[in-house]
Amino acid sequence: MSAELFSLFYQFADVFAFLILSAAGLAIVFGMMGVINMAHGEFIMCGAYVTVGLVNLGVPLPIAQILAALTAGIIGMIVEFLIVRRFYKRPLDSLLATWGLSLIVTQSMLLIVGSAVRGIGTPEGSFAIGGYTFSTYRLVLFGCAVAVLAGLYIIFMKTRFGVIARATMQNAAMAKALGARTGRIYSISFGIGTALAGLCGALYAPTMTLIPTMGATFVVESFVTVVIGGANVLLGTAPAAVFLAMIRMALNASYGQIIGQIGMLFAVILIIRVLPEGLSSVLVRRGR
Amino acid sequence: MATAAIGSARAAEPPLKIGLLEDVSGDLAFMGMPKLHGSQLAVEEINKSGGILGRQIELIHLDPQGDNARYQEFGRRLLNRDKVDVLIGGITSASREALRPIVDRTTTPYFYTNQYEGGVCDASMISMGAVPEQQFSTLIPWMVQKFGKKVYVIAADYNFGQISAEWNRKIMKDLGGEVVGEEFIPLGVSQFAQTIQNIQKAKPDWLLTINVGAAQDSFFEQAAAANLNLPMGSSIKVMLGFEHKRFKPPALNNMHATANWFEEIDTPEANDFKKRWHAKFPDELYINDMGYNAYNALYMYKTLVEKAKSTKLEDMRKVIASGDACIDAPEGKVCIDPKSQHTSHRMRLISVGPKHEVTVEKDYGTIQPYWLGEIGCDLTKKNDKDQYTPSHLPNKS
């Protein structure tokens, strides 16, 4: 029986980690900054490719993963400087610009590195409980997801940067009038968002096939989680991921992957119907 | 003098146009790229040796990017606007079924170059790949005998996966085996922790893996990480998706497949073919089965046109009906079956070891694509334009 219970927890942790890690970066870029970043999946892909490239050069996996996240963050800041900052007041145009960017990046990767890259294998091995065997690395992913949430909480709630950043997102003109360097705040926030996307790719790289379009597997889940979560990243994304992971886990376990996927999207439609501003709107109102 | 005049008159004839639809971007690009390369290699060789009926051939390739709507759009463009003499291509069975009604409205022949779930009885289509009576009827009995009677199936959720699973159910039933679980997975799903638990709960003796595309292939890495450790059988792994080259060993350990072509074939003809291929495409990770079939398709087309002395489908089908549509392929001699217009193949059972080395376990010799003919498809008499499965057979009349 305990094996069954652990199996349920493991499934939940697995889906939860996938949702949180794919959504964390987007929660900042889209949820807070309001930039509809269609290239989110490409930043994830970037993280994965850099990780595999560095591991093949002999860099230890955890260091390669950190470097990959940093690379994605730096590229993100460059992209913000060159493209995204022109679109802060035109969110729909940001959709078009980042979508174009995503197409260019995907096709360029296809031309430069080819259609398939050899995998690097999952580390950490496996453990057994009852009749089941589990991959240890999946629990590492769950740990990373929790750490990312904690890290975001600390950055945005406990630091000076966080206070200014939240002020800037809420009312950029007022924040600027009070002396905040809003341009830099936007740039750093976008960089954190894309670094988190890169981290997601870096963490999943050892478990997946690497192709230039791999980012697409994460994008639906990440947008869904952020939209359900609503404008407040810290109060929205985590409960949204818990909620969606429960639904998906239960349906996957009883009816298989297809129903799991349909059921999750159906739940999303229902929530958006009932709570157009997402879960965080309720939680924020409660808090007041 | 006279021959030279004829020669130059011939050279002045416009080239034969080959319409090619292959995915070289998108989720299936890694499998589609060798298909484009195989076609390019064959076109180059044929043109160097004087073309078809003295005419050069010209390849018009479009990339549908794995999108079935684009397959239809590009198919129409090639057939109606470019007026190609032959249409070749398509990866998934979904893309083939999207193209078939469009080709059926024309008199242009269509070559489908993949192994697939079988059953298409259509006079416009010539199938170059292997079908279930060549792949599943050899593989499944071998797996049952070697590993046991309980199988769990993971399959892509579209016509290929569904119909292949039906073939597995039928063959397992005939063998007295048991299908302890079937899971159909939407394309694009990349996370398999739940599937791995479901498999462990069902306790099968072996797995039938007919998952498709780069995302679904992540299953192998995740199953290896969870130490699932079950023997696996497949009609598409190794020879087609070259997972043993893409994943770090031992993710593909204990995988078994029946194939008419895999790059590890070691015969003088195969080695010569591989040498020519790698000379032209030195970066090719693996010459896969559908790339190989794509290469053969152009030689089969050349043979049909030259024997018929015509590029018309009608005349080419007379050659097929005579039973004389054969080529010397790198695997050996292959021929088109007159009743079904599918191709005979020399089938081998291959296994992947812990270091991802490929060994040939069994050589079945040449197997005819007999199933469609047995159930009553006879394209020399009647054009059904239908796809049959074990549960959907032609009406006896």
Side-chain angles (χ1 to χ4, degrees):
Chain A
M1 194 56 217
S2 67
E4 293 292 330
L5 270 179
F6 180 79
S7 165
L8 279 183
F9 163 74
Y10 183 86
Q11 295 311 326
F12 168 78
D14 188 57
V15 183
F16 177 80
F18 188 77
L19 292 173
I20 284 292
L21 289 171
S22 34
L26 197 70
I28 295 171
V29 170
F30 174 55
M32 281 178 69
M33 300 175 64
V35 176
I36 306 174
N37 184 17
M38 297 297 281
H40 182 66
E42 280 57 53
F43 284 105
I44 294 177
M45 182 260 289
C46 165
Y49 272 76
V50 172
T51 305
V52 170
L54 288 175
V55 168
N56 285 338
L57 288 177
V59 179
L61 181 65
I63 295 171
Q65 287 171 323
I66 293 166
L67 289 175
L70 288 176
T71 311
I74 291 165
I75 295 176
M77 285 170 79
I78 296 172
V79 167
E80 196 271 348
F81 180 75
L82 293 177
I83 304 171
V84 176
R85 63 171 48 183
R86 287 156 229 284
F87 297 102
Y88 286 134
K89 296 206 173 83
R90 296 147 62 194
L92 280 178
D93 297 347
S94 76
L95 184 154
L96 213 57
T98 51
W99 186 45
L101 179 72
S102 114
L103 292 178
I104 292 168
V105 170
T106 315
Q107 297 299 327
S108 311
M109 283 302 281
L110 186 65
L111 290 173
I112 297 165
V113 294
S115 47
V117 171
R118 198 170 195 267
I120 50 174
T122 310
E124 305 289 349
S126 61
F127 61 96
I129 291 180
Y132 299 116
T133 53
F134 303 92
S135 163
T136 316
Y137 187 72
R138 294 262 144 188
L139 291 182
V140 175
L141 290 176
F142 178 65
C144 290
V146 174
V148 162
L149 282 177
L152 280 179
Y153 179 79
I154 291 167
I155 290 178
F156 283 100
M157 302 304 279
K158 300 283 173 192
T159 67
R160 198 180 139 72
F161 166 80
V163 175
I164 301 174
R166 281 185 292 139
T168 306
M169 307 306 164
Q170 249 172 29
N171 192 334
M174 181 59 85
K176 203 169 184 177
L178 291 171
R181 298 169 73 174
T182 50
R184 188 192 279 186
I185 297 287
Y186 271 122
S187 167
I188 294 174
S189 302
F190 197 85
I192 295 176
T194 53
L196 287 174
L199 180 69
C200 169
L203 288 170
Y204 278 94
T207 71
M208 285 177 66
T209 317
L210 259 64
I211 57 165
T213 48
M214 68 179 290
T217 7
F218 297 86
V219 161
V220 175
E221 264 86 352
S222 60
F223 268 97
V224 158
T225 312
V226 174
V227 168
I228 289 291
N232 190 313
V233 183
L234 299 166
L235 283 173
T237 310
V242 170
F243 176 71
L244 292 174
M246 303 273 261
I247 292 179
R248 183 141 197 189
M249 174 202 65
L251 291 175
N252 270 356
S254 357
Y255 303 103
Q257 292 254 21
I258 300 171
I259 301 292
Q261 204 172 39
I262 296 173
M264 193 178 83
L265 294 177
F266 194 70
V268 170
I269 296 170
L270 280 181
I271 292 175
I272 294 295
R273 185 74 192 83
V274 183
L275 303 168
E277 283 169 48
L279 290 176
S280 66
S281 66
V282 185
L283 295 167
V284 169
R285 240 178 282 146
R286 279 263 166 86
R288 274 179 192 149
Chain B
M1 200 57 206
T3 51
I6 291 168
S8 64
R10 279 246 170 109
E13 276 184 74
L16 279 171
K17 285 197 232 174
I18 318 284
L20 187 69
L21 291 173
E22 302 291 8
D23 296 337
V24 293
S25 54
D27 192 32
L28 302 169
F30 66 98
M31 295 195 280
M33 202 62 98
K35 295 190 77 181
L36 174 63
H37 290 166
S39 310
Q40 287 170 334
L41 178 65
V43 165
E44 187 185 282
E45 287 180 7
I46 290 171
N47 277 339
K48 247 186 216 158
S49 65
I52 298 177
L53 286 180
R55 288 168 72 179
Q56 293 283 294
I57 53 178
E58 179 194 343
L59 200 60
I60 307 175
H61 168 243
L62 297 178
D63 174 14
Q65 300 162 35
D67 179 339
N68 293 331
R70 219 170 268 139
Y71 264 101
Q72 297 196 312
E73 182 194 332
F74 287 172
R76 280 196 202 99
R77 188 195 293 184
L78 289 171
L79 292 165
N80 303 334
R81 198 186 76 184
D82 297 327
K83 305 249 180 288
V84 294
D85 294 284
V86 57
L87 187 68
I88 304 179
I91 287 197
T92 62
S93 288
S95 67
R96 181 199 65 239
E97 290 307 297
L99 280 175
R100 219 153 49 75
I102 294 169
V103 181
D104 278 335
R105 285 197 285 273
T106 69
T107 53
T108 312
Y110 167 52
F111 283 75
Y112 182 56
T113 47
N114 285 22
Q115 66 69 236
Y116 79 109
E117 72 283 0
V120 173
C121 178
D122 187 330
S124 302
M125 184 177 111
I126 292 161
S127 168
M128 295 299 295
V131 282
E133 58 268 38
Q134 291 160 328
Q135 292 194 296
F136 288 136
S137 301
T138 47
L139 174 73
I140 295 171
W142 190 84
M143 294 296 288
V144 166
Q145 196 197 355
K146 183 133 183 163
F147 300 111
K149 289 195 164 183
K150 287 196 278 183
V151 64
Y152 193 101
V153 183
I154 57 165
D157 189 26
Y158 68 102
N159 51 354
F160 167 73
Q162 294 281 356
I163 296 173
S164 296
E166 188 184 332
W167 271 102
N168 174 60
R169 281 197 293 274
K170 176 186 155 38
I171 295 171
M172 287 302 281
K173 198 178 155 203
D174 294 347
L175 293 168
E178 186 191 350
V179 180
V180 294
E182 271 181 350
E183 202 159 323
F184 295 99
I185 298 152
L187 284 175
V189 165
S190 66
Q191 302 301 313
F192 291 94
Q194 184 71 56
T195 303
I196 291 164
Q197 308 291 266
N198 293 347
I199 293 169
Q200 294 186 333
K201 204 176 219 170
K203 295 192 174 63
D205 296 318
W206 57 282
L207 285 178
L208 183 67
T209 54
I210 35 183
N211 45 326
V212 173
Q216 292 193 0
D217 281 344
S218 301
F219 169 80
F220 296 110
E221 186 55 59
Q222 290 166 25
N227 201 14
L228 187 63
N229 232 347
L230 280 170
M232 300 179 278
S234 182
S235 61
I236 52 174
K237 298 302 162 193
V238 186
M239 84 307 245
L240 196 147
F242 44 100
E243 291 77 5
H244 63 309
K245 297 280 177 197
R246 294 193 287 125
F247 289 99
K248 193 178 172 184
L252 259 279
N253 181 29
N254 220 350
M255 170 66 84
H256 312 271
T258 37
N260 62 305
W261 169 265
F262 44 99
E263 199 182 313
E264 292 81 359
I265 288 187
D266 188 16
T267 63
E269 298 80 16
N271 289 333
D272 179 54
F273 167 71
K274 288 186 273 183
K275 216 166 89 187
R276 279 179 281 134
W277 185 303
H278 284 301
K280 190 167 164 63
F281 301 105
D283 293 336
E284 198 80 80
L285 194 55
Y286 190 80
I287 302 173
N288 69 350
D289 156 84
M290 44 167 110
Y292 161 84
N293 287 333
Y295 172 87
N296 281 345
L298 277 157
Y299 276 98
M300 186 58 89
Y301 178 68
K302 175 180 155 80
T303 302
L304 290 176
V305 170
E306 290 186 338
K307 282 198 173 150
K309 298 193 177 58
S310 154
T311 56
K312 288 204 177 101
L313 176 61
E314 244 177 279
D315 299 325
M316 288 162 62
R317 290 191 55 229
K318 280 178 201 151
V319 178
I320 296 174
S322 74
D324 192 25
C326 302
I327 56 167
D328 287 314
E331 79 191 72
K333 188 179 173 186
V334 299
C335 300
I336 298 179
D337 167 54
K339 284 185 176 172
S340 64
Q341 300 190 168
H342 284 52
T343 309
S344 66
H345 282 297
R346 176 162 174 193
M347 302 303 295
R348 293 176 173 93
L349 197 143
I350 52 179
S351 296
V352 180
K355 291 190 180 122
H356 284 189
E357 70 278 16
V358 172
T359 48
V360 178
E361 301 275 342
K362 199 167 173 180
D363 188 338
Y364 293 90
T366 300
I367 301 181
Q368 299 298 327
Y370 55 81
W371 185 72
L372 273 169
E374 275 181 6
I375 60 162
C377 163
D378 189 349
L379 291 168
T380 60
K381 298 201 175 91
K382 185 168 142 274
N383 185 2
D384 291 18
K385 298 185 186 177
D386 204 348
Q387 181 174 14
Y388 298 114
T389 71
S391 66
H392 171 57
L393 299 172
N395 300 322
K396 299 269 182 216
S397 56

